[in-house]
Amino acid sequence: MKKILVIEDNSEINAMLCEMLHKEDMEPQSAFSGTEGLLYMEQESFACILLDLMLPGKSGEETLLEIRKMCKTPVIVISAKNDIDVRVALLETGADDYITKPFDLREVMARIRLQLHKTTPVEVKRLTAGNLVLDQEQHTVMVCGKELGLTRQEFNILETLMLNPKKVFTKQELFESAWEEYYIGADKTINVHISNIRSKMKQITEEEYIETIWGIGFRWRA
Amino acid sequence: MQCLLILTFVRVQNGGLTITPVLVDVKQCLCENLFSFYEDFKNREIEPKVELPEEACYAMLDPSLLTRIYENILKNALVHGDLEIAVSLVCREDVIILNVRNHTTEEHSKDPAMVFERFYQSDKARNHQSTGLGLCIAKELTIRMGGSIRAYYENDLFGIEIIFQQANRSQYRNEKVEES
């Protein structure tokens, strides 16, 4: 769940923003002053920060400067100050976006999402186990840094096993996951593929990754 | 689990159980049920000896009830068995024969005719919190689906044998055509 810090001294607006974030399956943290907000930031990291400018004590501008000394977390300033100079100055000192009050909740949400989207790193679709790395995008499997050179079916079988490391698969289930077709009862086919994968692995490592269960099923050896 | 068993038992007894037979791969269903007990076998430190045919074995059965039968007899073997549990499935001519055998020294297992009686259970079973209904239900369900079931005991091995009719080839073909 994404944690969002809401620094806003008006308790009604603060509660309204938090409620919206809750509904969007995010985890809001209210802070009612810049100092309080910075305190939370020392304790945990947030995915995005909503920052009011007119705060008691430390101003929003000062808070923003301190936030920027700490981290690069996206900050969206929410303020009644609609002066173009203020807006430009804030964007130049490190705000990522600026929303003027009164605001529409949908716009706030859209802008938060935009920031989250920017910061979410492109997920590398890789599965690793011990010395084995399976790349779901490239369809390659590396063991101890060497490529295994699996066929498409062998790769699919390995991927299926790795994705559900605790589950014992019947031969039919593996067959269907590997071929995405209807099973015709050819257990031997699966046996052959498993033994091919094993022998390819054996050329590189002694480690066993696939466990045979009772002679009738297979499981990933965690 | 106990409540569920009793409920099933009542339903089976008063005929309130609907049976919807479809073409089932009896072998695949057995494998899945066996694996659902994987942790239980591990905890008991028993590795079942499993013998299966190479090909799928089809029968016209209600899959959820077949699962119930498997669950009940496998659970029975796990509760009462020691040292050895063996499961075999054989397709011969037009029938499918399932055998689940377990080694046991329990006295009550030596009277196999009694094990299907409702609430029949050994003192040991009482400690395991079983209802004594599992095999009774397995028997009822098997018979309702046109199969036969028997229990036997020889050389410290208690066994349950279930026989179902294999689906005939025309049924099998129809199903295949519908799928494609």
Side-chain angles (χ1 to χ4, degrees):
Chain A
M1 222 191 242
K2 302 270 187 202
K3 286 185 184 172
I4 315 286
L5 181 61
V6 181
I7 309 177
E8 162 69 71
D9 64 323
N10 181 311
S11 57
E12 274 175 38
I13 297 176
N14 197 313
M16 186 173 72
L17 290 167
C18 289
E19 195 190 320
M20 168 195 73
L21 291 166
H22 252 306
K23 278 188 193 150
E24 296 289 328
D25 275 333
M26 296 185 184
E27 197 182 327
Q29 172 64 61
S30 299
F32 297 92
S33 71
T35 321
E36 191 189 355
L38 290 165
L39 219 63
Y40 284 121
M41 288 189 63
E42 280 169 19
Q43 287 157 13
E44 50 193 323
S45 64
F46 294 91
C48 183
I49 299 165
L50 300 184
L51 177 67
D52 183 24
L53 282 189
M54 277 179 279
L55 293 168
K58 204 185 290 274
S59 73
E61 288 87 344
E62 288 171 305
T63 310
L64 177 62
L65 284 175
E66 291 199 29
I67 291 172
R68 279 291 159 264
K69 281 181 205 160
M70 289 167 75
C71 61
K72 288 182 176 168
T73 308
V75 175
I76 302 173
V77 170
I78 298 182
S79 175
K81 291 182 188 171
N82 198 10
D83 188 286
I84 186 73
D85 292 331
V86 176
R87 283 159 64 177
V88 171
L90 277 162
L91 291 169
E92 282 182 348
T93 47
D96 294 84
D97 204 351
Y98 195 101
I99 301 171
T100 49
K101 288 180 185 172
F103 53 77
D104 187 299
L105 280 177
R106 288 170 305 170
E107 187 187 354
V108 178
M109 207 52 235
R111 288 182 185 269
I112 292 172
R113 278 207 204 90
L114 188 71
Q115 293 303 329
L116 295 180
H117 193 70
K118 275 190 204 161
T119 50
T120 308
V122 183
E123 262 181 67
V124 183
K125 295 196 169 164
R126 273 187 190 159
L127 303 170
T128 49
N131 289 321
L132 187 146
V133 182
L134 181 143
D135 190 318
Q136 291 176 293
E137 299 256 283
Q138 308 274 331
H139 272 241
T140 56
V141 179
M142 308 282 278
V143 177
C144 304
K146 287 179 191 162
E147 195 177 333
L148 267 193
L150 298 180
T151 65
R152 189 171 60 86
Q153 286 93 338
E154 289 163 2
F155 178 87
N156 289 346
I157 291 171
L158 207 63
E159 188 184 32
T160 305
L161 290 168
M162 279 188 91
L163 284 171
N164 305 276
K166 282 189 176 166
K167 182 177 156 64
V168 182
F169 285 90
T170 67
K171 290 173 184 176
Q172 176 173 342
E173 286 167 332
L174 282 184
F175 187 97
E176 280 165 4
S177 73
W179 278 262
E180 294 151 22
E181 285 172 17
Y182 192 79
Y183 188 65
I184 42 154
D187 281 0
K188 268 182 198 147
T189 323
I190 284 293
N191 292 348
V192 169
H193 283 286
I194 295 277
S195 103
N196 283 347
I197 297 171
R198 281 181 171 149
S199 68
K200 284 178 187 176
M201 285 180 169
K202 211 168 184 184
Q203 289 172 7
I204 304 172
T205 176
E206 282 296 303
E207 231 170 309
E208 276 281 351
Y209 288 98
I210 302 168
E211 195 177 353
T212 306
I213 306 295
W214 308 336
I216 55 164
F218 297 99
R219 191 173 77 147
W220 187 253
R221 178 167 283 172
Chain B
M1 185 63 192
Q2 288 198 40
C3 289
L4 204 67
L5 271 175
I6 291 167
L7 195 70
T8 310
F9 178 73
V10 171
R11 283 217 193 106
V12 170
Q13 285 296 304
N14 67 19
L17 196 85
T18 47
I19 299 172
T20 317
V22 293
L23 197 67
V24 197
D25 180 353
V26 177
K27 173 187 142 189
Q28 171 64 13
C29 186
L30 173 62
C31 286
E32 285 168 16
N33 275 286
L34 269 168
F35 291 150
S36 73
F37 285 101
Y38 181 72
E39 291 300 324
D40 304 84
F41 277 104
K42 225 177 165 185
N43 291 340
R44 296 237 35 213
E45 292 176 348
I46 298 173
E47 180 167 321
K49 288 182 184 152
V50 189
E51 278 178 57
L52 301 174
E54 169 74 14
E55 304 296 325
C57 332
Y58 291 101
M60 289 299 285
L61 299 169
D62 185 314
S64 65
L65 300 184
L66 178 62
T67 292
R68 193 60 70 74
I69 294 170
Y70 280 143
E71 274 174 8
N72 290 3
I73 56 177
L74 289 173
K75 200 160 184 204
N76 186 72
L78 274 161
V79 170
H80 300 287
D82 54 45
L83 305 169
E84 187 189 321
I85 294 175
V87 178
S88 77
L89 194 70
V90 177
C91 293
R92 195 176 295 150
E93 289 156 13
D94 56 350
V95 291
I96 299 170
I97 307 162
L98 169 80
N99 266 282
V100 176
R101 290 182 303 278
N102 61 270
H103 183 272
T104 182
T105 50
E106 285 178 14
E107 275 305 311
H108 86 296
S109 298
K110 293 175 185 170
D111 190 3
M114 285 296 291
V115 297
F116 295 118
E117 293 299 312
R118 74 178 85 157
F119 304 122
Y120 180 77
Q121 54 187 337
S122 66
D123 285 338
K124 192 181 169 196
R126 262 181 247 281
N127 298 335
H128 287 290
Q129 293 187 318
S130 70
T131 54
L133 284 174
L135 291 185
C136 180
I137 291 170
K139 180 184 178 180
E140 286 289 333
L141 295 177
T142 304
I143 292 167
R144 290 290 169 94
M145 292 197 288
S148 66
I149 185 168
R150 71 181 183 97
Y152 52 90
Y153 180 84
E154 51 193 26
N155 306 326
D156 290 342
L157 282 178
F158 171 81
I160 298 277
E161 182 180 74
I162 293 180
I163 302 178
F164 283 118
Q165 281 291 312
Q166 269 196 65
N168 63 46
R169 283 176 193 279
S170 63
Q171 278 172 322
Y172 176 75
R173 258 190 232 116
N174 287 340
E175 193 89 3
K176 281 284 177 194
V177 170
E178 278 165 30
E179 265 172 31
S180 60

